[in-house]
Amino acid sequence: LITALMVFINFILQTTLLQMFAIRGVLPNTALIIAVSYALLRGSREGAFVGIGAGLLQDIFFGGTLGVYAVLAVLFGRSQRDFYRENYLLPVLFCSIAACLCEGAVYIVGFVFQGMGNLLYFLFQVMLPVMVYTAVITVPIYRILFGVNDWLELKEKYKYRLF
């Protein structure tokens, strides 16, 4: 319930408030950050569910590439056992790579299949700024998700314990 609420609040914020923070028309992909961060913190299964939820919200309202968030969350969630969650470098790196892959899928589906493929323009004007902006925004969002994850794990740990 908490995770679904976070995905819904993220969708509302991403489509309304974060539009004011666009730099040259580029926005960070916070849904992707949440999906990859949940995959790193809770495992690929929960990351995939978050990715499916966030991706379906995006696709239902704005169209796009169906299933990219879930695939990227599963892909990056496979390495969740091999790193320290307190380390912020890996989530920043994975979210940047995921943003690159997601924008590459949007480029292929949206432009190449329609015969309008100017790769250099897309690379330098869209993909690279989205990667950098997503990497910068990943740190505060990951910190919030890390705190929520600790709280959820504590609740799960003492769920069946009698005091």
Side-chain angles (χ1 to χ4, degrees), residues 7 10 14 27-40 47 50-51 54-55 58 67-74 76 91 93-104 130-131 134-135 138 141 145:
V7 168
N10 172 61
Q14 189 174 9
L27 293 169
N29 197 340
T30 56
L32 188 68
I33 294 170
I34 288 177
V36 171
S37 296
Y38 254 88
L40 290 172
V50 170
Q58 294 284 346
V68 173
Y69 293 101
V71 170
L72 291 174
V74 169
F76 291 117
L93 181 67
F94 278 177
C95 287
S96 296
I97 292 170
C100 177
L101 293 174
C102 186
E103 291 299 322
V130 166
M131 283 177 53
T134 300
T138 297
I141 291 176
L145 292 175

Side-chain angles (χ1 to χ4, degrees), residues 61-127:
F61 286 98
F62 303 111
T65 54
L66 187 64
V68 173
Y69 293 101
V71 170
L72 291 174
V74 169
L75 177 72
F76 291 117
R78 295 284 178 200
S79 63
Q80 67 102 1
R81 290 178 228 94
D82 300 333
F83 83 103
Y84 295 106
R85 292 190 240 178
E86 294 83 10
N87 185 4
Y88 290 95
L89 182 62
L90 198 61
V92 169
L93 181 67
F94 278 177
C95 287
S96 296
I97 292 170
C100 177
L101 293 174
C102 186
E103 291 299 322
V106 168
Y107 173 73
I108 289 171
V109 170
F111 295 105
V112 173
F113 287 158
Q114 296 176 1
M116 304 180 300
N118 187 353
L119 179 64
L120 291 177
Y121 174 79
F122 188 80
L123 181 68
F124 290 113
Q125 298 297 322
V126 177
M127 189 181 288

Side-chain angles (χ1 to χ4, degrees), residues 7-18 57:
V7 168
F8 184 70
I9 289 172
N10 172 61
F11 177 73
I12 298 295
L13 289 176
Q14 189 174 9
T15 56
T16 57
L17 185 65
L18 286 178
L57 276 175

